[in-house]
Amino acid sequence: MTEPQLGGYTGKLLRVNLTDRRITTEDIEHSVCRKFLGGAGFVAYYVIKEIPAGIDPLGEENKLVFAAGPITGTPLPGNPRHCVGGVYPLTGTIAKSEVGEYWGVFFKRAGFDVLIVEGASAKPVTIVIDNQEVYLKDADHLWGMKTKETQEAIRRELGSDKFRISSIGPGGENKVLYACIMCGLADAAGRGGLGAVMGAKKLKAIAVKGDKAPKVQNSEVIKSLSRWLKDNWNLVTGLATYGTSPVHPRFEEIGNLPIRNFRDGAFPTHNNVTSNTIKDTIRIGMEGCWGCPIKCKKVVKMEEPYPVDPAYGGPEYETCSALGPNCGVDNLNALSKANELCNAYSLDTISTGCTIAFAMECFENGLITREDTGGIDLSFGNGDAVVEMVEQIAHRKGLGDLLAQGAARAAKSIGKGAEKYAMEVKGLEIPMHEPRLSKALGLGYMLSPIGADHVMNLLDIFFSALGSAAETMLGDGELVGADPAPFDSIGPKKVYLYYLFTLKRIVQDSLVICGMFPYNYRQIAQLIEGVVGWNTTVAEQFRIGQRILTAMRWYNVQNGFTAADDRLPRRFFEPRKEGNFKGCLNYEQMEQAKKYYYSLMGWNDDGVPGDWKLEELGLAEISLQNRSG
């Protein structure tokens, strides 16, 4: 008997096997939607169910899972996102990356919730999804193109500008281990190397066009939440004015700005790379995702000394910091060019900047020489060197071939103590927020299933107590008994707040809804009811969050990860060389916090979800299919 269609879902999975060029569709059971929601939850479900533990992430057994959520494409602000997953080549962990733009909306409107790409093509191909018509198209002539050239060529060949394009550039083709998948030209499914997986599969792009809007069960609920957001516009208006990086001066002052590979604490010329400066000098506009009233994405243009194409957008906070102060660079032109190249070549800007910063510190300490760099002065502060290294990394030329492996692998190859300069967790380079200042953030870097991640994390400077920001985001203080947590604490109250916040984040990533919008738990329950039609509760959201995070943890355990991998680099347990902030982390405190989080999740002291926990969460059946040993 066919199940009635839920609001927000199409109920269809599209499967494309690149090895035998077979294209099929499958129904998605309602029970899977209720247990995993969509987006990141669907990624967790299908990765555990279909990708064996211990595979080569660049081999044919890895799969790419593109998953929309029930909110994707609905008339609600923050709705355009989708999630991409599989296994990361950089880390070997489960992969999960959310991205906005338009692609996810058009994919949903084409009639699908999930796309699974499996196998590998013998030659470059593009997947074309034109509503319900799906086919493979030769892409030999596109191989080697940057993302803009690729997008223009595909649209020209398909005869329509309505197609939205996810693609890779030379970075993905050359299997740089932190290559990303570009949606359009300025939005990335970044971190960990999913672009390299596309490159290994010889998949150049996925073009999608869809015309059928998803159904919602109660439009009045959506209208009510939209009115609430309009009435509380002050919560997000800064994004529309400046994007995400007006904060460098304040971050430098309090100690949150990473400087010279997270080593230093003072950067007097930080104003050179702020959004204010970008706005006053090279910014020509602001853009946004599909259907979003907040235009938070910078568009920049310049001619000298580096020409920068505005089609590739402009640098946001993580990019400005990773390619700027973390490399000691205050040259706005150079970091804007480096950002453009990363988008054109499909490289994750965080890992690119951090890996170059790692190389700069190795250069400063004589572990890398001018002979290794081909004569390039790789000193901190050299913006021209940063631009050149992005080119070399994307094409795996010179020192770039080594740095294309990421900081952790490069450090092992260099030896001589280079590991202490690699700022990474589980192989994934650390984002641009300082864990010595924000201890719960540091805990999140340790515990995230994908390695160091800032998006599904709690930033202590915004949640030092249950004040207005926390109440808005988490539900007017009704947090299952959560108490205010002192800013400098990493005790039980702070860990519990982190636990609650990450449960909320994984639910948002599964719906999939933009984390910039301040919907609280109860509002999320309302929008699920309004869109899908389920009578849900905050308690059910907690349960779903636990299920998805436990599934991801269990999969990583099957891939050999242990509690010992939940660790931060030694650098963060030592004070920075200079600056206003003198604090650092305490190893014993962080270990205690880690163990307490395990207990909150119902895992054992080694961070392993036991059989009883798996059965309790409804994961036992799918986990039995994929056990190591």
Side-chain angles (χ1 to χ4, degrees):
M1 181 177 177
T2 304
E3 295 179 298
Q5 184 177 337
L6 299 169
Y9 294 96
T10 68
K12 293 295 181 182
L13 178 150
L14 173 65
R15 190 180 298 272
V16 178
N17 188 304
L18 297 178
T19 301
D20 60 18
R21 303 176 73 87
R22 187 158 44 96
I23 299 170
T24 56
T25 60
E26 304 164 20
D27 292 334
I28 302 173
E29 295 179 2
H30 283 195
S31 61
V32 174
C33 297
R34 187 85 190 223
K35 286 183 176 180
F36 295 92
L37 288 181
F42 279 172
V43 163
Y45 175 76
Y46 287 108
V47 167
I48 290 177
K49 191 168 182 281
E50 299 196 9
I51 304 179
I55 59 118
D56 174 6
L58 294 178
E60 286 194 28
E61 288 184 288
N62 200 3
K63 301 185 182 186
L64 286 167
V65 182
F66 296 76
I71 308 304
T72 306
T74 58
L76 184 79
N79 69 5
R81 299 173 73 79
H82 67 281
C83 184
V84 189
V87 179
Y88 277 139
L90 185 65
T91 63
T93 65
I94 194 168
K96 177 194 85 75
S97 182
E98 289 75 39
V99 59
E101 205 253 351
Y102 285 60
W103 192 95
V105 174
F106 280 51
F107 176 69
K108 171 73 78 66
R109 291 184 167 215
F112 304 103
D113 292 317
V114 178
L115 165 65
I116 296 180
V117 181
E118 55 194 19
S121 178
K123 61 180 183 179
V125 293
T126 292
I127 298 172
V128 179
I129 304 170
D130 186 351
N131 287 288
Q132 293 288 299
E133 183 184 7
V134 184
Y135 57 94
L136 294 175
K137 195 173 185 301
D138 178 75
D140 268 327
H141 59 298
L142 304 178
W143 207 250
M145 285 187 181
K146 298 176 183 177
T147 53
K148 180 182 177 181
E149 296 165 340
T150 299
Q151 177 171 279
E152 291 174 342
I154 291 174
R155 286 175 171 173
R156 185 168 58 250
E157 291 166 14
L158 296 178
S160 173
D161 287 339
K162 292 183 178 180
F163 280 95
R164 310 308 299 193
I165 314 297
S166 283
S167 68
I168 56 171
E173 295 170 1
N174 293 322
K175 291 175 274 192
V176 175
L177 294 188
Y178 42 89
C180 57
I181 299 172
M182 295 302 300
C183 291
L185 305 180
D187 294 84
R191 315 312 324 265
L194 290 174
V197 178
M198 278 186 68
K201 293 182 178 299
K202 290 288 194 292
L203 177 59
K204 179 63 175 176
I206 306 171
V208 62
K209 178 163 69 73
D211 302 318
K212 186 176 181 181
K215 172 186 175 184
V216 298
Q217 295 289 8
N218 188 341
S219 60
E220 290 305 313
V221 173
I222 306 305
K223 291 177 183 177
S224 175
L225 286 170
S226 296
R227 285 194 297 269
W228 173 85
L229 183 65
K230 184 178 180 181
D231 292 340
N232 291 273
W233 195 245
N234 61 302
L235 296 171
V236 291
T237 48
L239 291 169
T241 304
Y242 295 107
T244 60
S245 58
V247 290
H248 284 96
R250 178 60 177 158
F251 278 7
E252 194 259 3
E253 178 185 354
I254 65 175
N256 191 58
L257 182 65
I259 300 166
R260 299 180 193 89
N261 201 28
F262 286 89
R263 184 190 67 193
D264 301 337
F267 199 69
T269 53
H270 51 70
N271 279 320
N272 291 354
V273 295
T274 67
S275 285
N276 307 62
T277 302
I278 292 173
K279 180 176 180 292
D280 293 340
T281 56
I282 62 174
R283 201 182 87 184
I284 63 171
M286 298 288 284
E287 292 184 348
C289 297
W290 183 90
C292 183
I294 304 172
K295 307 299 182 184
C296 69
K297 303 173 185 178
K298 304 181 191 69
V299 180
V300 304
K301 181 181 180 180
M302 63 183 188
E303 301 296 339
E304 297 292 343
Y306 298 107
V308 173
D309 188 343
Y312 289 109
E316 298 299 334
Y317 171 74
E318 298 293 327
T319 301
C320 282
S321 301
L323 297 168
N326 202 41
C327 290
V329 172
D330 64 0
N331 182 331
L332 185 57
N333 300 100
L335 77 84
S336 296
K337 183 63 179 181
N339 172 73
E340 179 214 71
L341 292 175
C342 284
N343 290 348
Y345 294 144
S346 66
L347 297 177
D348 174 52
T349 57
I350 297 175
S351 284
T352 300
C354 283
T355 303
I356 293 172
F358 154 79
M360 285 177 157
E361 190 162 7
C362 288
F363 184 81
E364 184 179 87
N365 287 278
L367 304 185
I368 292 175
T369 67
R370 281 184 181 266
E371 183 178 351
D372 299 313
T373 67
I376 297 171
D377 177 10
L378 205 55
S379 298
F380 281 119
N382 188 342
D384 295 332
V386 170
V387 173
E388 177 58 30
M389 290 317 303
V390 173
E391 292 275 6
Q392 290 196 16
I393 288 167
H395 296 97
R396 301 197 74 139
K397 299 286 181 66
L399 183 64
D401 188 42
L402 175 66
L403 300 186
Q405 301 177 56
R409 284 181 172 86
K412 288 181 181 178
S413 296
I414 294 168
K416 298 177 286 188
E419 289 86 353
K420 66 184 178 183
Y421 304 133
M423 299 298 105
E424 50 79 26
V425 178
K426 299 181 181 71
L428 188 66
E429 287 76 20
I430 291 177
M432 298 294 103
H433 300 275
E434 174 58 72
R436 282 172 286 207
L437 175 72
S438 294
K439 294 181 173 65
L441 175 83
L443 182 66
Y445 288 161
M446 294 165 62
L447 293 168
S448 167
I450 69 168
D453 171 65
H454 68 291
V455 177
M456 197 184 72
N457 208 335
L458 188 153
L459 191 55
D460 305 49
I461 57 176
F462 298 137
F463 288 86
S464 58
L466 294 184
S468 59
E471 288 174 358
T472 299
M473 294 293 285
L474 294 171
D476 301 323
E478 295 179 8
L479 296 174
V480 198
D483 293 322
F487 169 74
D488 199 39
S489 165
I490 192 59
K493 292 178 181 179
K494 179 65 73 66
V495 177
Y496 188 57
L497 186 58
Y498 163 79
Y499 160 77
L500 291 174
F501 189 70
T502 53
L503 291 180
K504 177 177 183 285
R505 278 299 199 194
I506 197 67
V507 168
Q508 287 180 296
D509 289 348
S510 299
L511 284 174
V512 188
I513 190 166
C514 179
M516 294 295 186
F517 286 84
Y519 300 117
N520 62 42
Y521 273 123
R522 291 178 299 175
Q523 290 170 322
I524 290 174
Q526 290 170 10
L527 69 88
I528 292 172
E529 184 174 355
V531 171
V532 183
W534 292 328
N535 181 17
T536 187
T537 63
V538 173
E540 185 179 13
Q541 292 175 58
F542 283 176
R543 193 78 169 157
I544 291 169
Q546 272 210 344
R547 179 179 297 115
I548 296 167
L549 289 175
T550 297
M552 290 179 169
R553 178 75 182 192
W554 183 87
Y555 186 76
N556 283 348
V557 169
Q558 301 309 300
N559 278 281
F561 288 90
T562 70
D565 296 298
D566 298 337
R567 56 96 190 105
L568 286 166
R570 186 195 319 167
R571 171 156 286 172
F572 298 115
F573 299 94
E574 303 166 350
R576 299 195 296 187
K577 280 189 172 183
E578 55 190 11
N580 296 324
F581 178 69
K582 306 297 184 184
C584 63
L585 297 175
N586 177 282
Y587 180 80
E588 287 74 20
Q589 289 178 353
M590 297 302 290
E591 285 296 299
Q592 288 175 345
K594 179 176 79 174
K595 295 294 179 64
Y596 182 51
Y597 176 81
Y598 292 166
S599 71
L600 290 172
M601 289 296 294
W603 307 338
N604 70 17
D605 285 346
D606 295 319
V608 178
D611 289 344
W612 280 56
K613 189 63 182 180
L614 295 173
E615 185 171 347
E616 174 204 324
L617 293 172
L619 296 170
E621 184 177 345
I622 58 171
S623 69
L624 284 172
Q625 304 171 35
N626 201 356
R627 288 184 181 265
S628 61

